[in-house]
Amino acid sequence: VVTFYPGPSKVYPQVAQYMQNAFDEGVLSLNHRSAGFMQLLQKTLQLLHQKLDIPSEYSIYLVSSATEAWEVVAQSLTAQHSMHFYNGSFGKKWFHYTANIVPNASATWFDPQHTLTHHLFERETAIAQHNLTHLAAAEVVCLTHNETSNGTQLTLTDVQKIRQNTDAIVALDVTSSLGGVALPWAQGDVWLASVQKCLGLPAGLGLMVCSPKALAKARLLNDHLRYNSLLAIDDNFTKFQTHYTPNVLGVYLLMKIMNQVADIQTIDSKTKARAQDWYKFINTQTPWQSLIQNTDTRANTVIAVAGEPVAIEALKKRATQHQITIGNGYGEWKSHSFRIANFPAIEDWEIEKLKRILS
Ligand SMILES: *Cc1c(COP(=O)(O)O)cnc(C)c1O
């Protein structure tokens, strides 16, 4: 079956062989305090730095999921207040989990057809001034870089504008963009993701990329209440160990895939060219329209397509007959949209096959 589901998504075909290798090499029984595991983790972190072009002063941690990383941000980096901007389901969920932990979390919805910059700054002066004042006073700002539910992304300008207008810790959910497009690391303090989207791996690992500023904040708050408090994670990772018995198969597969993939600049160009091609194709050669009309906010890695529920049901049936899985709509767009993953593991012949069904 060919799958375009935006997570869990297509895994690289090489994963089959890597799983066998892990078994044969005895990796699966490695103790997580052993030299063998420490070498594996060190190599994995080094390859992530190298292939994803992560600045050397940023540290990388592995956790269980992006959802867990949301809670680490709330527990270890937020004393009083986090400010969430979202336009779809994942950003909203992040806010709800945080609100259970952080006394004064606040959230602002913005229109997925407009940029965050437009929402915050390009309106009446009084509103823009009000937003600037709030941003300047923020402790932690939480942004969903790539909103998988509706196929939107923040622009580089959005991310830069936030950075320029606050001293807050800036946390970005890049679950469906990390590994698919180049990220402006210096513009954020916490970049969180999981492996089952653009990294083309089976689910079961989350990633956190943290700036020195994030670490300094963690030290200031000194949260040690939880097994996954950021300082405990950091203590372990500086020794190339983990704070609990890890998903060692997942770590091994991540190492192998990072070793295999091209550098992020190469992947970025390919992803963006494919995205352009997808949007053009959908809007000009099919009866469908892209859900997001604003070319600035359309995601490169998740293509959301709008249509009538009946037509979408018929399309899904036809796709299933051809052994193709497309992504369901999500949240409030569930019945009148579908989604196409534009992740690096997907091959050109698979795209051609789906195009024939859509046109
Ligand atoms: C998939 C996804 C998540 C959840 O990831 P888990 O690994 O299931 O925790 C969070 N945020 C975004 C934007 C996602 O696409």
Side-chain angles (χ1 to χ4, degrees):
V1 177
V2 171
T3 181
F4 288 87
Y5 219 93
S9 48
K10 186 196 173 190
V11 298
Y12 282 100
Q14 291 87 340
V15 165
Q17 185 59 53
Y18 298 156
M19 285 173 64
Q20 188 63 48
N21 294 351
F23 186 88
D24 295 343
E25 293 169 20
V27 168
L28 302 183
S29 307
L30 273 184
N31 184 297
H32 58 296
R33 310 271 173 228
S34 68
F37 178 79
M38 287 156 66
Q39 277 159 20
L40 169 60
L41 185 55
Q42 182 171 16
K43 178 87 186 154
T44 308
L45 300 178
Q46 181 231 316
L47 284 167
L48 284 165
H49 269 290
Q50 181 197 327
K51 290 293 176 73
L52 299 180
D53 204 16
I54 297 172
S56 55
E57 68 274 19
Y58 277 53
S59 34
I60 307 172
Y61 309 112
L62 302 178
V63 292
S64 303
S65 66
T67 305
E68 185 189 5
W70 289 341
E71 289 206 340
V72 174
V73 172
Q75 290 166 352
S76 295
L77 293 172
T78 316
Q80 293 294 331
H81 178 243
S82 61
M83 199 172 180
H84 299 244
F85 296 101
Y86 71 89
N87 69 15
S89 305
F90 285 101
K92 189 176 178 182
K93 245 193 229 180
W94 185 3
F95 164 66
H96 282 300
Y97 282 120
T98 301
N100 291 333
I101 296 169
V102 173
N104 299 311
S106 70
T108 306
W109 179 86
F110 64 98
D111 186 338
Q113 302 292 355
H114 288 295
T115 63
L116 181 58
T117 301
H118 173 82
H119 174 85
L120 287 174
F121 308 114
E122 293 169 357
R123 301 194 295 166
E124 299 103 276
T125 319
I127 296 178
Q129 197 52 51
H130 171 89
N131 287 332
L132 274 174
T133 310
H134 272 256
L135 258 185
E139 185 196 349
V140 177
V141 176
C142 298
L143 305 171
T144 306
H145 176 259
N146 211 78
E147 180 48 81
T148 320
S149 66
N150 57 19
T152 57
Q153 65 187 4
L154 297 181
T155 65
L156 180 58
T157 308
D158 290 339
V159 181
Q160 286 168 335
K161 284 258 181 198
I162 296 284
R163 193 60 151 180
Q164 284 158 8
N165 287 292
T166 182
D167 287 330
I169 295 288
V170 179
L172 296 112
D173 182 338
V174 286
T175 307
S176 58
S177 48
L178 181 136
V181 291
L183 296 170
W185 300 110
Q187 306 297 321
D189 298 302
V190 181
W191 301 82
L192 59 92
S194 45
V195 297
Q196 73 275 16
K197 313 249 164 120
C198 289
L199 295 177
L201 284 162
L205 272 185
L207 283 115
M208 294 181 77
V209 177
C210 294
S211 72
K213 181 173 165 179
L215 255 281
K217 178 76 189 286
R219 293 206 177 90
L220 190 73
L221 297 192
N222 203 30
D223 161 45
H224 284 287
L225 293 177
R226 289 102 185 168
Y227 81 96
N228 59 1
S229 293
L230 192 56
L231 293 182
I233 299 179
D234 180 62
D235 276 349
N236 278 279
F237 272 74
T238 47
K239 293 178 286 191
F240 303 113
Q241 296 181 3
T242 55
H243 51 304
Y244 58 86
T245 316
N247 173 358
V248 62
L249 174 60
V251 179
Y252 180 84
L253 296 178
L254 178 58
M255 185 275 285
K256 291 299 249 186
I257 287 298
M258 278 297 121
N259 191 47
Q260 167 193 314
V261 294
D263 63 274
I264 194 63
Q265 287 307 337
T266 307
I267 293 180
D268 179 88
S269 308
K270 187 169 174 184
T271 301
K272 286 174 181 167
R274 277 178 164 184
Q276 271 205 335
D277 183 64
W278 263 128
Y279 285 116
K280 187 166 163 219
F281 173 80
I282 285 160
N283 290 324
T284 63
Q285 296 186 47
T286 74
W288 313 93
Q289 287 295 311
S290 55
L291 178 68
I292 304 302
Q293 297 302 316
N294 185 337
T295 52
D296 288 336
T297 64
R298 280 176 189 163
N300 284 304
T301 53
V302 180
I303 317 294
V305 185
E308 288 304 317
V310 177
I312 291 176
E313 279 314 307
L315 171 69
K316 280 186 201 156
K317 261 202 199 113
R318 199 162 59 225
T320 306
Q321 282 161 5
H322 289 82
Q323 303 218 308
I324 297 178
T325 305
I326 54 179
N328 291 329
Y330 198 101
E332 67 177 285
W333 296 277
K334 195 170 181 59
S335 59
H336 49 271
S337 74
F338 63 90
R339 295 172 302 156
I340 302 169
N342 183 31
F343 295 164
I346 293 168
E347 290 164 59
D348 288 338
W349 68 268
E350 296 174 308
I351 294 175
E352 290 313 313
K353 189 169 170 172
L354 177 56
K355 278 184 168 176
R356 283 196 293 275
I357 307 284
L358 289 174
S359 54

